Amino acid sequence: MDSKFAKLKGLFITTFLISASTSGGYAIVGMMKDTFVNKKKWLSEDEMIDLLAIGQSVPGPIAINTSVLVGYRVCGFIGAIVTMLGTTLP
């Protein structure tokens, strides 16, 4: 339970900081890839590319779509909600 809470907290803080430090759009995608694939190692590069492709094909802002998909992949439905909040609050 603690590890899932820690991962949710990490997802929120990470997406919040990424969203606060970029202007959105495609700039956020590079930072998300670097953070989730290279630094945190929560996703493989192939998974991130797949999630990015799905995020681009869904209507709406790519930054929010991709962060929701990443959150869902890492921590399920709650992770999707946490990353959506982390991306939209800044």
Side-chain angles (χ1 to χ4, degrees), residues 15-73:
T15 54
F16 185 87
L17 292 175
I18 290 171
S19 185
S21 63
T22 61
S23 60
Y26 289 99
I28 199 170
V29 173
M31 288 188 74
M32 288 176 79
K33 181 207 167 278
D34 184 51
T35 302
F36 294 125
V37 174
N38 300 330
K39 292 179 183 167
K40 302 273 186 186
K41 308 238 187 266
W42 286 340
L43 299 170
S44 70
E45 187 151 355
D46 289 338
E47 287 175 312
M48 187 67 197
I49 290 170
D50 290 342
L51 294 177
L52 177 60
I54 295 169
Q56 286 179 333
S57 66
V58 177
I62 188 171
I64 296 171
N65 293 342
T66 305
S67 71
V68 166
L69 291 168
V70 167
Y72 185 80
R73 175 67 182 92

